[in-house]
C-alpha cells in the first residue's frame, strides 16, 4: 500500500516537473556546440588575423594536422613544448593553438635530431593538430599589442609603424540598374573599409564602349555591332587580403559576360595594420614609478633599460616580443618610453636620456596572448571546450 502511494506521489511529481524538464533539455541541447572541424576554428581566426598579414620570415597557419579533422578540445599556448603536447594529450585536446610557430624553416627529415623534429613527430603520433597565429596577430588592431597596452594602462593607441603595402583600389564599370548590387557585393567582401567607416566608394558616370564578337552572349548590344552604354564607374579601397574575394563577388553580381575592372596597388599607409603601438597613460608619472608598475603587471623579474629620461612619462610605445626594430619609430613619434624585448646591447646607447628604452622580456611582454586567443574564441564559440595551457612557461630563468 505504501509502495503504491509512493509511486502515485512519484508520478504526480514527475508530471509537475516534466514541462520544466522539457524546457531544460530544449535549452541545453540548443546550446550544445555541434562538432567542429579544425578549419572552423582556423578560418574564424584568419578572418580576424589574415595569414597574408604575417611577416615574410614567419610561418603562421596550420602546421600539423588536417583542416577537416574533428576537434573536441583546444589548448592555447604561447609556445609548443614537449610538456605542452603531453598536456594536450592528457586533457584530450586534439588542437593546439600557439602564438609562436614550431616550424619556421623547411624540414628535410624527421629523425628526432633536433627539438623541432622531435615535437613534430610527437604531435603527429599523438594525432594533435598544431596551429600558429603569430605576426599576423601582432600586426592587427585588437592583437597582441592591444592586450599588452590594456594591461599597462596605455590608452588612445595607434599603430606605431603602419604598413605601406597592404592596400589596393578596385575599380569596376557597370550599367545603371546594377550599381547597388555591385556596391553591396564589394562592401560585403570588405571593400571600402576605412578606419571607423565601411561601404566607402566613389561613383562617377561615363560611356562604356564594346563590340560583342561571334560566340558572345551580350547583356546589352548586338553581335558584331559597336555598342555604347551609359555606365557607372565604382571605385573602392580594399585590403589586399580581401581582394580576391571582392573580385569574385563583384563578378558574381555583375550582369556582363566579361565585366571590366581594374586593380591598382596603392602606396598609402594602412593605419590599421602594422607593428607596435603608441599611446599614453592617463596621468604622467615618474618613470621609475611606471616601470615598477610594468614589472609587477608583466610578472618580470627585471627590466633592462638605458639611461632614464629626466621627466615624467606620459607617451609610451610598446611592442610585445622582439621589437628592437621599432626603436627609431618610437623615438620619431616622441615616445618617452619604449617597452619591448630582446634589445641588443648597442641599442641601449642611441637614445640614452632622451627616450627610455626598456627590455621587459619576450615571454613577459607576450604571455597575455593566451588570454587574447581564449577570449576571441570564447566570443565566437561560447560552448566549445577551450583551455589555456598550464605548462606554457618562460624558458628563461634568472639567478
Ligand atoms: Zn614572440
Amino acid at each position: 500500500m505504501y509502495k503504491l502511494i509512493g509511486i502515485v506521489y512519484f508520478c504526480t511529481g514527475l508530471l509537475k516537473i516534466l514541462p520544466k524538464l522539457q524546457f531544460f533539455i530544449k535549452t541545453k541541447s540548443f546550446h550544445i556546440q555541434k562538432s567542429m572541424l579544425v578549419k572552423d576554428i582556423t578560418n574564424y581566426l584568419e578572418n580576424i588575423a589574415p595569414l597574408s598579414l604575417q611577416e615574410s620570415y614567419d610561418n603562421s597557419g596550420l602546421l600539423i594536422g588536417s583542416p577537416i579533422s574533428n576537434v573536441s578540445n583546444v589548448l592555447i599556448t604561447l609556445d609548443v613544448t614537449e610538456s605542452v603536447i603531453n598536456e594536450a594529450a592528457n586533457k584530450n585536446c586534439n588542437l593546439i593553438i600557439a602564438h609562436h610557430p614550431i616550424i619556421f624553416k623547411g624540414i628535410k627529415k624527421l629523425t628526432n635530431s633536433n627539438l623541432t623534429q622531435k615535437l613534430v613527430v610527437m604531435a603527429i603520433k599523438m594525432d594533435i593538430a598544431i596551429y600558429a597565429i603569430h605576426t599576423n596577430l601582432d600586426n592587427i588592431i585588437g592583437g597582441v599589442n592591444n592586450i599588452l597596452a590594456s594591461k599597462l594602462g596605455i590608452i588612445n593607441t595607434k599603430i606605431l609603424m603602419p604598413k605601406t603595402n597592404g592596400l589596393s583600389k578596385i575599380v569596376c564599370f557597370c550599367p545603371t540598374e546594377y550599381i547597388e548590387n555591385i556596391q553591396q557585393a564589394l562592401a560585403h567582401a570588405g571593400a571600402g573599409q576605412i578606419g571607423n567607416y565601411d561601404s566607402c566608394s566613389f561613383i562617377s558616370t561615363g560611356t562604356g564602349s564594346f563590340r560583342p564578337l561571334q560566340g558572345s552572349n551580350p547583356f546589352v548590344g548586338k553581335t558584331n555591332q559597336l555598342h555604347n552604354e551609359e555606365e557607372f564607374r565604382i571605385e573602392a579601397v580594399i585590403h589586399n587580403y580581401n581582394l580576391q574575394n571582392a573580385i569574385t563577388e563583384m563578378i558574381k553580381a555583375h550582369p556582363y559576360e566579361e565585366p571590366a575592372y581594374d586593380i591598382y596597388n596603392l602606396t598609402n599607409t594602412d593605419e590599421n595594420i602594422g607593428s607596435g603601438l603608441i599611446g599614453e597613460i592617463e596621468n604622467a608619472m615618474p618613470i621609475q614609478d611606471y616601470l615598477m608598475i610594468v614589472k609587477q603587471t608583466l610578472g618580470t623579474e627585471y627590466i633592462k633599460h638605458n639611461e632614464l629620461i629626466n621627466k615624467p612619462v606620459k607617451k609610451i610605445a610598446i611592442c610585445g616580443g622582439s621589437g628592437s626594430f621599432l626603436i627609431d619609430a618610437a623615438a620619431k613619434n616622441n615616445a618617452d618610453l619604449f617597452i619591448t624585448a630582446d634589445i641588443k646591447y648597442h641599442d641601449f646607447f642611441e637614445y640614452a636620456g632622451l627616450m627610455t628604452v626598456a627590455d621587459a622580456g619576450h615571454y613577459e611582454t607576450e604571455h597575455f596572448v593566451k588570454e587574447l586567443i581564449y577570449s576571441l574564441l570564447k566570443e565566437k564559440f561560447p560552448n566549445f571546450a577551450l583551455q589555456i595551457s598550464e605548462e606554457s612557461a618562460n624558458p628563461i630563468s634568472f639567478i
Side-chain angles (χ1 to χ4, degrees):
M1 183 62 185
Y2 285 119
K3 263 187 189 169
L4 190 66
I5 292 170
I7 291 167
V8 170
Y9 264 110
F10 175 75
C11 292
T12 334
L14 194 64
L15 280 175
K16 272 186 192 167
I17 64 159
L18 204 58
K20 281 182 191 166
L21 201 63
Q22 277 175 331
F23 175 76
F24 176 78
I25 291 165
K26 261 189 194 170
T27 350
K28 285 294 163 194
S29 59
F30 177 75
H31 282 299
I32 287 170
Q33 187 77 49
K34 65 180 171 74
S35 72
M36 301 257 284
L37 301 178
V38 167
K39 69 174 185 180
D40 294 330
I41 294 170
T42 59
N43 285 349
Y44 165 69
L45 289 174
E46 284 164 25
N47 213 21
I48 295 169
L51 289 180
S52 60
L53 296 182
Q54 67 183 302
E55 300 296 334
S56 54
Y57 60 83
D58 198 9
N59 193 31
S60 288
L62 185 62
L63 304 179
I64 295 174
S66 159
I68 53 167
S69 60
N70 281 303
V71 182
S72 54
N73 230 321
V74 172
L75 187 69
I76 299 162
T77 181
L78 181 64
D79 295 287
V80 178
T81 62
E82 213 170 313
S83 55
V84 168
I85 296 176
N86 280 325
E87 182 188 10
N90 292 336
K91 292 178 173 171
N92 293 320
C93 296
N94 36 14
L95 172 63
I96 295 175
I97 298 179
H99 183 49
H100 294 135
I102 55 164
I103 305 170
F104 265 108
K105 294 182 227 154
I107 298 176
K108 288 191 174 176
K109 49 191 166 189
L110 288 171
T111 54
N112 282 357
S113 58
N114 61 34
L115 182 62
T116 303
Q117 291 183 24
K118 202 174 168 188
L119 296 174
V120 169
V121 170
M122 200 175 158
I124 292 171
K125 274 186 179 169
M126 292 180 171
D127 202 15
I128 295 171
I130 296 183
Y131 180 81
I133 180 164
H134 189 211
T135 50
N136 47 329
L137 191 58
D138 291 335
N139 285 337
I140 58 163
I141 300 266
V144 177
N145 293 311
N146 280 89
I147 191 160
L148 180 61
S150 72
K151 299 284 179 185
L152 296 177
I154 301 169
I155 52 173
N156 303 328
T157 54
K158 61 175 191 148
I159 299 266
L160 181 56
M161 189 190 273
K163 296 269 183 203
T164 53
N165 56 355
L167 292 172
S168 291
K169 178 165 273 195
I170 182 166
V171 178
C172 65
F173 307 86
C174 72
T176 320
E177 63 271 31
Y178 277 81
I179 191 159
E180 223 169 278
N181 278 6
I182 291 174
Q183 268 184 315
Q184 278 173 9
L186 286 172
H188 193 67
Q193 287 175 355
I194 303 174
N196 292 328
Y197 295 80
D198 69 8
S199 308
C200 304
S201 64
F202 184 82
I203 296 160
S204 49
T205 51
T207 306
S209 176
F210 48 86
R211 185 168 64 175
L213 300 177
Q214 210 63 41
S216 63
N217 181 22
F219 178 70
V220 282
K222 288 188 177 138
T223 310
N224 290 324
Q225 285 182 22
L226 192 64
H227 179 84
N228 289 327
E229 179 76 16
E230 289 305 302
E231 289 180 343
F232 278 86
R233 172 190 163 108
I234 308 171
E235 51 191 286
V237 168
I238 186 156
H239 290 283
N240 288 341
Y241 55 82
N242 283 329
L243 186 57
Q244 209 45 54
N245 187 32
I247 294 171
T248 308
E249 293 304 312
M250 180 275 292
I251 290 173
K252 260 196 242 169
H254 205 290
Y256 285 3
E257 204 172 15
E258 297 288 351
Y261 66 92
D262 305 322
I263 306 296
Y264 300 95
N265 288 326
L266 299 180
T267 53
N268 304 41
T269 51
D270 186 346
E271 300 297 330
N272 294 316
I273 304 291
S275 309
L277 280 185
I278 185 156
E280 57 185 13
I281 48 173
E282 197 157 358
N283 300 307
M285 66 171 78
I287 182 90
Q288 289 93 338
D289 293 356
Y290 185 70
L291 286 176
M292 287 312 288
I293 293 173
V294 174
K295 195 175 167 188
Q296 202 173 16
T297 308
L298 304 186
T300 185
E301 295 209 21
Y302 72 84
I303 292 178
K304 288 193 279 185
H305 61 82
N306 62 353
E307 185 188 329
L308 295 176
I309 51 162
N310 191 21
K311 63 168 188 172
V313 64
K314 172 86 175 156
K315 203 168 183 185
I316 299 168
I318 53 166
C319 179
S322 305
S324 53
F325 67 100
L326 292 169
I327 293 177
D328 289 339
K332 274 185 196 133
N333 280 274
N334 302 316
D336 301 316
L337 167 65
F338 177 47
I339 304 165
T340 188
D342 304 343
I343 298 175
K344 288 183 188 151
Y345 174 76
H346 295 285
D347 289 334
F348 287 98
F349 286 102
E350 184 74 26
Y351 297 103
L354 301 170
M355 175 180 78
T356 298
V357 175
D359 185 331
H362 196 125
Y363 175 88
E364 291 84 350
T365 55
E366 278 193 334
H367 66 89
F368 297 119
V369 74
K370 293 180 277 182
E371 204 181 301
L372 172 67
I373 296 169
Y374 181 89
S375 59
L376 289 173
L377 289 171
K378 207 68 193 167
E379 199 182 328
K380 174 72 177 176
F381 310 109
N383 300 300
F384 191 69
L386 300 169
Q387 298 179 58
I388 291 180
S389 169
E390 291 159 311
E391 297 289 336
S392 175
N394 194 348
I396 299 169
S397 300
F398 307 93
I399 53 170

